[in-house]
Amino acid sequence: MEIMPHPLGVLPLGVLFLNQSASNLRAIPGALGLLARLTDELLLVLLGWCDASSLGRCMAVSHALRIFSHCDDLWRALVLDELPNGMLLRYTGCWRNTYVKLFRPFRVSLGLGTNSAPSALAAPGHGVLLYSDALFERWQCGTAAIPQGWQVFENIQRVSAATLSVAKFEELYEVPGRPVILADVVPQWEAFQCWSEEKLCAQFGDTPFHVGGHEMRLRDFFSYAHTTTDEMPLYLFDKSFAQCAPSLAAEYQVPAFFAPERDLFAQLPPGYRPDHRWLIIGGTRSGSSWHVDPNATSAWNGVVRGTKKWVLCPPHAPPPGITASADGTTVTAPLSLFEWFRIFYPLLAERRGGRSGAREALVHEGELLFVPRGWWHAAL
């Protein structure tokens, strides 16, 4: 797995053990004061309780505390927690700069200009580096390429929709609850011809869409997706896209396998039907964490651009590392989807095949995945 160097020179703790002549910056007397008694993980938790002014002051205490306080996850949480309803989110290179741009009254208190990039925080002259798994793993999960080993194995059947009748689909996949990838559906949509980043931005670049609980203009979201180093990148997941961009809803058609006459929720009176369609856009490493769709619903997901890695587990066999409450409403999972793949994907591979076996595949642009009701699934 190729990993970019950390911009503040942070290295994993194991490197320190292999280099006995090196010293850890946090161990230098006075570097962290009494805070040196805390583990790196607890120190980040403590800093997470700070407001922006306090966090900015911590950055001025010492080089070691400056690196910890610069952790972008801390500033992301501040931005997303404090962004008022109705205020558009606009990411500007890193979350600290984003905070300063959005909340200018704090600019003097933070003691930072908006042009201070992480790379500007050079190591002090003595050259002592900070070795921290807590900081480095965040960086690794936010910058590493998707390993090839996660993309090789596939065991979900592919079928051409042109040769599959609705009755056969019901018999072979819907009733027995078998995932399937359908070809020759998405390429028939107008969306398949015109939903490129360039064309969408030309038409809807200034239109706000729902992103991670907030609103972002589409062009700003694409800029964020291309530049972020977030471990868990924000995901455009908009159930109201047909209202803010009506033409998008006219540029795809519901396949005959899921037509309204076969959709029981479509028979409900207006206003009673649960949310049932979303526009989804995400960059590298973004995605949907493990879950089971509500209301005993099946789902279909058509890929217009790019590629998505899907992993699914049968209803009676939750994925490794995932704990759910008895009613399924509460799911306990690792911090990020990338982290789950890094730690637990090898365990999932051991469960391939048989009745309890996981299903997985790369779903490419022009393909459509059917997810049966009750199945656990995640997409990267």
Side-chain angles (χ1 to χ4, degrees), residues 190-206:
E190 184 179 351
F192 192 67
Q193 309 302 324
C194 61
W195 283 15
S196 66
E197 178 180 342
E198 181 181 2
K199 291 182 179 178
L200 287 174
C201 280
Q203 191 171 3
F204 301 106
D206 293 323

Side-chain angles (χ1 to χ4, degrees), residues 161 182-193 195 251-253 255 300-305 363-369:
L182 299 175
D184 305 319
V185 174
V186 176
Q188 307 304 315
W189 297 346
E190 184 179 351
F192 192 67
Q193 309 302 324
W195 283 15
E251 292 173 347
Y252 76 95
Q253 292 76 43
W300 59 270
N301 183 284
V303 179
V304 177
R305 290 289 180 272
V363 181
H364 303 277
E365 59 184 57
E367 296 182 326
L368 182 149
L369 175 68

